C-alpha cells in the first residue's frame, strides 16, 4: 500500500431522505453536482440543492475512514525458476482521510426570493 505525501482530508456528507432530480434520475444513477455547500461565520454548513436550502452541523467521526484508490500496475514480470511469469498484483493508493462529516437531517426549506415591488399610489 502506497501512502502518498499529499494525503487529502475529505469530509463525509450525510443527507436524510431521498434525492430526486428534475430530470428523473435518483441518487443511485448518474453522477455530477447535486448542490453547493456554504459555511457561515459560525462555521455552520448549508447546502443548496435546486431551490431548497438545508442547514446542518459538523460532527467528528469516532473512527476515521481512509479513501483508497485501486491501481493495477502494467504487466509486472517476476522471474522465478528461470521462467517469466505475469503477476496479477493489485496496489492500493491512499487518497484521503475522512475525520468529519456534515449532517443535514432537517427538512429542506424552499428559497423564496422577495421582489421589491413599487407601491402604486392610491387614488381616492
Amino acid at each position: 500500500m502506497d501512502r502518498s505525501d499529499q494525503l487529502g482530508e475529505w469530509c463525509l456528507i450525510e443527507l436524510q431522505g431521498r434525492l430526486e432530480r428534475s430530470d428523473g434520475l435518483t441518487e443511485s444513477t448518474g453522477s455530477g453536482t447535486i448542490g453547493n455547500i456554504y459555511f457561515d461565520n459560525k462555521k455552520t454548513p448549508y447546502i443548496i440543492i435546486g431551490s431548497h436550502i438545508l442547514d446542518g452541523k459538523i460532527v467528528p467521526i469516532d473512527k476515521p475512514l481512509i479513501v483508497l484508490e485501486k491501481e493495477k500496475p502494467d504487466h509486472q514480470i517476476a522471474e522465478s525458476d528461470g521462467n517469466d511469469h505475469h503477476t496479477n498484483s493489485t496496489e492500493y493508493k491512499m487518497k484521503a482521510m475522512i475525520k468529519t462529516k456534515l449532517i443535514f437531517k432537517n427538512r429542506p426549506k424552499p428559497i423564496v426570493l422577495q421582489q421589491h415591488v413599487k407601491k402604486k399610489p392610491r387614488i381616492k
Side-chain angles (χ1 to χ4, degrees):
M1 191 171 341
D2 176 30
R3 185 180 191 285
S4 176
D5 292 336
Q6 299 176 356
L7 188 63
E9 187 170 331
W10 291 5
C11 184
L12 192 67
I13 298 174
E14 184 177 310
L15 297 169
Q16 302 295 320
R18 180 180 175 155
L19 288 177
E20 292 184 9
R21 297 179 2 182
S22 59
D23 56 7
L25 297 175
T26 61
E27 70 274 1
S28 62
T29 59
S31 62
T33 304
I34 61 164
N36 296 316
I37 297 176
Y38 300 96
F39 293 87
D40 65 5
N41 294 341
K42 298 176 185 176
K43 296 192 177 184
T44 301
Y46 294 92
I47 186 167
I48 297 177
I49 302 174
S51 60
H52 292 85
I53 186 167
L54 294 96
D55 57 333
K57 61 181 178 178
I58 302 172
V59 177
I61 295 177
D62 293 334
K63 295 181 181 179
L65 303 171
I66 301 253
V67 179
L68 300 175
E69 181 178 36
K70 186 177 182 179
E71 292 182 346
K72 192 167 188 174
D74 296 335
H75 304 288
Q76 289 184 346
I77 300 173
E79 293 184 23
S80 64
D81 300 334
N83 295 326
D84 290 341
H85 297 283
H86 291 280
T87 60
N88 293 328
S89 66
T90 302
E91 293 181 0
Y92 293 92
K93 183 178 181 182
M94 293 174 57
K95 295 292 283 186
M97 183 174 286
I98 301 174
K99 296 179 182 178
T100 59
K101 67 179 174 178
L102 304 179
I103 299 178
F104 298 95
K105 63 181 180 181
N106 298 329
R107 294 181 71 73
K109 300 173 204 161
I111 298 173
V112 180
L113 299 176
Q114 295 181 358
Q115 295 180 351
H116 183 69
V117 180
K118 206 175 204 182
K119 291 185 179 181
K120 294 182 181 178
R122 288 185 146 183
I123 302 176
K124 292 184 181 181

